[in-house]
Amino acid sequence: MTYNAGNYDVIVVGAGHAGVEAAYASARMGAKTLMLTLNLDMIAFMPCNPSIGGPAKGIVVREIDALGGIMGKIIDKSYIQMRMLNTGKGPAVQALRAQADKPVYMQEVKNLVENEQNLTVRQGMVNSLIVEDGICKGVITETKAAYYAKSVIVTTGTFMRGKVLMGDLEYESGPNNQRVSIKLSENLEELGFELTRFKTGTPPRVNSHTIDYSKTEIQPGDDNPKSFSYETTKVIEDQIPCWLTYTNEFTHEVINENLTLSAMYSGMKRGTGPRYCPSIEDKIVRFNDKPRHQIFLEPEGRNTEEVYVQGLSTSLPESIQHEMVKSIPGLENAEIMRAGYAIEYDAVVPTQLWPTLETKRLPGLFTAGQINGTSGYEEAAGQGLMAGMNAAAKVTGKDPIILDRSQAYIGVMIDDLVTKGTNEPYRLLTSRAEYRLLLRHDNADLRLTDIGYDYGLISEERYAAFTAKKEQVEAEKKRLNNIVVKPTEEVQSVMKSAGAAPMKEAVKAYDLLKRPELTYEYVDQMIESDNDLSDDVKEQVAIQIKYEGYIKKAKEQVARMLKMEDKKIPADIDYSVINGIATEAVEKLKKVRPLSVGQASRISGVNPADISILLVYIEQGNIARVANE
């Protein structure tokens, strides 16, 4: 018999990167929130690489921070190295990446959630959902505790029927030898949810004392590190380097000779692995013309000797892993502290979700993170934040939040998942965003802070600073547009030092800044201004002016896209009676149930001709409805 263990507004199942963002956001929005986790000592654990950010992912962390989430704040307190990537390219692809001190990161998150008002943190294994009248009303744990809530968010990561694979060794386990959730998977299947099977993997960890760093290339952090969070005022200057080495023909020989022993190639693996983070076995097979592959040696923290061997993810037997590691320059005498392994797990097919991340089949139930078929801490955290905000909004009577593809990478990711689905672990890439010039590292606050403030996740103090920044940017752009720079000897000297062609006539400072060679600092020298603007304001002014034409074109494209998004599709439309739409399109439209014509146009298998017919049908106003069952 179960017992009533408590009543809440929102229950979050899981305390990984999705779970903590969901629970924190829900509590901050005023919802009485419970977060249940298998192990209180594993909150915000990093089972794979000890890093946050990177291309596209780093921008997601900035978006999470702009909305009021926690990942950016925590990594700013706990990194051992910070680097801005792609600095030689345009602002659309620049992104921060931080090496994390894993134990410190976890402890910082644990402290934050344990001390958050409205948030209860409890250890427990959830076995099933409480469903009444077709609505999710809570959860039941293995100890027969029944917790009731108006919204439930499942963020179980890779723990649902998790199975570790290493050579011919196979056993039920989550990451780091944690318990797995078996009955919750079974319960979701009983409730009619379609599950799929995915795989991810990790490389060996080696002892730093046994590495010969003289045979590797140092990878230091930035001299002047930037921050993920807009609230961070102090950076960590005492950074720790990473190191670069490479595989070679001997490494590849070891792998090729033992491929049949790998779970990847022995037939033991049934889940689909991530295309953009393949195992070393997969790299050797798929790219057999490459003589070597990069290996990054990444410290896992300041107070541990474990080093993560990035790029060597594997499911080979432990004995072969020793041979493989020792074939790599610098690792000839390396001692493995933890062997690499692959892990298979259950995921929910994400087309079963609305864009709010609430499930279509069971109102009141939300899912977020790797359970939705994604890979990566950042993707999980972004989903967790949105699920938490929407679950709390449902309870408190606020409107749901759906970010569109022009607002955020988070919006791109969720739209991709719920509209197109994924047949492999989904990873965010800059190439997935049509409007990536608008979705930059530098402007996440301008895009999303208003939303975070409206939903109670941004403090009054922070919002005042944000408003002041916006005003300063606009004021500086106006000032530069009113200043005429004449081709004086001093100005020509600055032009020469910048590598720019000499000026032939007077030009507005605003237009001067559009020249590729001229930075804000060079223009500032020419006009000899004495302002005390922050670096963030100067950066924003320079980017907005320099890329003005491209940004304008992108916004025009967005305006056309939004017209399609504004054309809503009735929830109970009957696609089968619309003459002319292809059979495949009817099947896909029925499955996804898009909210707008714009979303319908992005469904795989629905072509432009189908959309044209759908538009005409909707505009005629004679909408056939699906009969209520």
Side-chain angles (χ1 to χ4, degrees):
M1 289 287 292
T2 61
Y3 74 96
N4 189 331
N7 294 275
Y8 296 86
D9 293 322
V10 175
I11 294 173
V12 178
V13 180
H17 301 282
V20 294
E21 293 287 355
Y24 182 80
S26 171
R28 287 288 302 278
M29 286 174 61
K32 184 183 178 185
T33 305
L34 169 68
M35 182 170 69
L36 288 163
T37 175
L38 285 171
N39 188 341
L40 285 173
D41 297 324
M42 299 293 287
I43 290 175
F45 179 62
M46 294 180 179
C48 199
N49 55 311
S51 68
I52 295 290
K57 292 168 174 278
I59 300 174
V60 169
V61 181
R62 291 279 275 184
E63 292 174 351
I64 290 168
D65 185 75
L67 287 164
I70 65 175
M71 180 172 268
K73 298 179 184 67
I74 300 298
I75 189 59
D76 283 353
K77 290 182 177 181
S78 58
Y79 67 82
I80 60 175
Q81 184 190 105
M82 185 76 75
R83 295 182 72 185
M84 178 64 81
L85 306 181
N86 297 327
T87 53
K89 300 179 181 179
V93 294
Q94 292 179 14
L96 270 181
R97 185 178 189 272
Q99 290 297 136
D101 189 318
K102 286 172 64 171
V104 174
Y105 186 95
M106 292 169 62
Q107 189 59 54
E108 289 285 351
V109 174
K110 193 169 189 287
N111 290 343
L112 188 69
V113 296
E114 286 180 346
N115 289 288
E116 179 57 39
Q117 190 177 6
N118 286 333
L119 177 56
T120 299
V121 182
R122 195 161 293 169
Q123 187 164 291
M125 165 81 79
V126 172
N127 277 357
S128 62
L129 304 175
I130 298 171
V131 180
E132 298 174 0
D133 301 321
I135 298 172
C136 187
K137 295 289 184 69
V139 301
I140 299 174
T141 70
E142 65 179 355
T143 58
K144 308 300 183 185
Y147 297 96
Y148 293 86
K150 299 165 188 173
S151 293
V152 174
I153 309 170
V154 176
T155 68
T156 47
T158 62
F159 283 84
M160 289 210 309
R161 287 197 286 226
K163 186 171 288 187
V164 163
L165 307 172
M166 186 194 304
D168 60 358
L169 177 64
E170 175 179 346
Y171 59 93
E172 289 183 349
S173 175
N176 205 34
N177 288 322
Q178 294 298 298
R179 294 181 65 197
V180 294
S181 174
I182 303 293
K183 293 189 176 180
L184 185 56
S185 268
E186 295 171 350
N187 184 235
L188 288 172
E189 287 179 326
E190 289 168 1
L191 292 169
F193 285 95
E194 182 184 357
L195 303 184
T196 188
R197 195 81 173 152
F198 282 162
K199 179 200 81 74
T200 188
T202 67
R205 275 75 156 176
V206 299
N207 190 315
S208 178
H209 290 309
T210 63
I211 298 172
D212 184 352
Y213 289 108
S214 68
K215 296 181 179 180
T216 67
E217 302 170 32
I218 192 169
Q219 304 285 298
D222 290 341
D223 291 334
N224 298 300
K226 293 194 173 184
S227 302
F228 278 105
S229 176
Y230 289 92
E231 294 187 71
T232 298
T233 56
K234 185 178 180 181
V235 299
I236 298 172
E237 296 180 355
D238 177 23
Q239 299 187 62
I240 297 175
C242 295
W243 305 84
L244 172 65
T245 184
Y246 296 88
T247 62
N248 52 58
E249 60 179 308
F250 302 110
T251 316
H252 299 188
E253 185 178 324
V254 169
I255 294 167
N256 279 318
E257 287 179 354
N258 294 282
L259 268 180
T260 56
L261 301 179
S262 166
M264 279 283 297
Y265 290 93
S266 66
M268 287 179 62
K269 180 189 77 68
R270 288 166 289 280
T272 304
R275 178 192 306 263
Y276 301 104
C277 189
S279 68
I280 188 63
E281 300 97 288
D282 209 16
K283 289 180 191 176
I284 300 306
V285 171
R286 286 166 55 189
F287 310 108
N288 56 24
D289 58 323
K290 285 199 169 187
R292 65 179 192 172
H293 295 278
Q294 287 185 329
I295 301 295
F296 289 95
L297 305 177
E298 302 176 345
E300 297 222 330
R302 295 181 187 277
N303 297 306
T304 176
E305 295 306 320
E306 283 192 75
V307 174
Y308 184 89
V309 188
Q310 173 75 277
L312 212 63
S313 177
T314 184
S315 61
L316 283 163
E318 186 175 300
S319 59
I320 308 302
Q321 291 187 39
H322 285 288
E323 287 185 52
M324 180 173 64
V325 166
K326 291 180 183 301
S327 71
I328 296 170
L331 303 182
E332 294 89 347
N333 298 306
E335 295 178 0
I336 293 178
M337 298 178 73
R338 302 184 200 227
Y341 60 87
I343 185 167
E344 287 187 349
Y345 56 95
D346 285 346
V348 170
V349 174
T351 51
Q352 298 170 103
L353 308 174
W354 296 114
T356 58
L357 298 181
E358 185 173 18
T359 63
K360 298 170 183 176
R361 179 175 292 276
L362 189 57
L365 175 66
F366 297 74
T367 59
Q370 283 189 269
I371 189 177
N372 288 343
T374 56
S375 66
Y377 313 139
E378 303 85 358
E379 288 91 338
Q383 291 174 71
L385 176 60
M386 298 312 297
M389 292 175 74
N390 279 315
K394 186 181 179 78
V395 169
T396 57
K398 287 182 175 288
D399 292 334
I401 308 146
I402 299 174
L403 300 176
D404 67 51
R405 300 180 71 90
S406 68
Q407 284 180 294
Y409 271 98
I410 295 173
V412 171
M413 169 179 60
I414 293 176
D415 183 65
D416 281 349
L417 291 171
V418 305
T419 303
K420 303 173 184 177
T422 182
N423 55 13
E424 62 187 38
Y426 176 99
R427 179 178 180 173
L428 263 173
L429 307 165
T430 53
S431 59
R432 295 192 190 273
E434 309 93 310
Y435 314 110
R436 56 184 174 272
L437 183 56
L438 302 180
L439 308 181
R440 306 184 307 273
H441 164 92
D442 63 89
N443 72 346
D445 59 338
L446 299 178
R447 292 184 274 122
L448 299 170
T449 302
D450 281 322
I451 296 173
Y453 178 71
D454 289 343
Y455 282 81
L457 298 181
I458 298 294
S459 68
E460 292 291 343
E461 182 182 13
R462 176 170 173 179
Y463 192 70
F466 163 71
T467 302
K469 174 185 172 179
K470 283 200 302 183
E471 292 172 351
Q472 288 173 347
V473 169
E474 292 306 313
E476 181 65 358
K477 286 165 62 179
K478 185 176 180 180
R479 185 180 80 92
L480 294 176
N481 201 38
N482 289 330
I483 295 176
V484 176
V485 180
K486 297 178 180 179
T488 64
E489 186 176 336
E490 292 79 7
V491 166
Q492 298 290 30
S493 175
V494 175
M495 295 290 287
K496 184 177 180 180
S497 64
M503 288 176 58
K504 296 180 179 179
E505 57 187 5
V507 180
K508 286 184 177 180
Y510 189 100
D511 294 324
L512 263 182
L513 192 48
K514 291 183 179 181
R515 295 196 182 189
E517 307 91 344
L518 297 181
T519 63
Y520 178 93
E521 286 70 27
Y522 281 122
V523 174
D524 205 32
Q525 286 181 46
M526 295 179 195
I527 59 181
E528 297 181 345
S529 61
D530 185 23
N531 61 51
D532 57 353
L533 298 176
S534 69
D535 290 340
D536 280 350
V537 170
K538 294 175 182 178
E539 177 186 48
Q540 197 54 229
V541 169
I543 290 174
Q544 288 189 21
I545 292 176
K546 210 171 275 292
Y547 295 92
E548 184 177 44
Y550 297 105
I551 292 172
K552 181 180 178 182
K553 286 182 180 179
K555 288 183 176 179
E556 289 171 353
Q557 291 177 331
V558 169
R560 290 193 292 270
M561 179 269 290
L562 290 177
K563 286 182 181 179
M564 296 286 277
E565 300 299 325
D566 288 340
K567 295 184 185 297
K568 302 301 180 185
I569 300 175
D572 54 355
I573 188 173
D574 187 356
Y575 293 105
S576 61
V577 303
I578 306 177
N579 292 325
I581 292 185
T583 303
E584 180 187 2
V586 170
E587 292 174 357
K588 295 291 181 66
L589 289 164
K590 283 183 175 181
K591 181 178 181 179
V592 176
R593 292 157 66 189
L595 300 178
S596 68
V597 174
Q599 186 185 359
S601 70
R602 295 189 293 275
I603 298 173
S604 176
V606 178
N607 61 44
D610 300 317
I611 295 299
S612 296
I613 294 168
L614 178 61
L615 272 169
V616 171
Y617 184 77
I618 292 174
E619 288 170 358
Q620 285 175 345
N622 300 319
I623 308 295
R625 314 290 187 183
V626 177
N628 292 325
E629 296 180 358

